[in-house]
Amino acid sequence: MEFAEALETVLRDLQAQCAVQPHIREDDEFGITLWAPDGSGQGLTSPLGGTSAERLVHLADQVQDWAVEALWSEGASAVWPQCPTHPDTHPLTATVRTDTAVWVCPKRRTAVARIGELQTQ
């Protein structure tokens, strides 16, 4: 999976379930950066090795870090993506299961959805 395709996949989940949306900028010096409404930004990196599922999980982790900070700065619950079983308690965790990148409840260790397929709240 190419970086642009992986980013599009993760952003589908962000659009489905996050109250704060990034302004995305790409430039030659810094690459792709997610900007929050408060003016803070986070650059995204792509690991050089690993499977496409592992690279997708790596990117999902970075977007999750951005979302938690952006939500917190807006005074919202800093939990993204929400665990449907334990809302406002803990976020889902991005991981690889049987060669597929998925969001998992860290308490029950159950897969909730493939990354890119979270349902709109």
Side-chain angles (χ1 to χ4, degrees):
M1 181 178 286
E2 295 296 321
F3 186 79
E5 183 183 353
L7 180 57
E8 185 178 306
T9 299
V10 177
L11 290 178
R12 277 196 304 268
D13 288 342
L14 196 65
Q15 291 165 351
Q17 293 195 3
C18 190
V20 180
Q21 294 298 304
H23 175 71
I24 302 167
R25 277 191 250 159
E26 182 177 5
D27 63 46
D28 293 334
E29 186 177 353
F30 298 110
I32 296 176
T33 304
L34 302 180
W35 293 93
D38 70 358
S40 64
Q42 178 174 326
L44 302 177
T45 62
S46 178
L48 299 175
T51 66
S52 63
E54 290 168 338
R55 291 190 302 271
L56 183 57
V57 164
H58 176 78
L59 185 58
D61 284 339
Q62 293 175 76
V63 173
Q64 183 177 41
D65 289 345
W66 176 88
V68 166
E69 291 295 325
L71 288 164
W72 180 84
S73 74
E74 294 292 309
S77 174
V79 177
W80 183 84
Q82 289 277 344
C83 176
T85 308
H86 311 102
D88 289 323
T89 306
H90 60 80
L92 298 173
T93 302
T95 192
V96 176
R97 292 252 175 103
T98 60
D99 299 324
T100 302
V102 294
W103 292 111
V104 172
C105 169
K107 237 178 178 179
R108 291 191 172 170
R109 302 194 189 282
T110 55
V112 173
R114 295 176 96 162
I115 293 177
E117 297 180 4
L118 286 175
Q119 299 298 311
T120 302
Q121 287 182 322

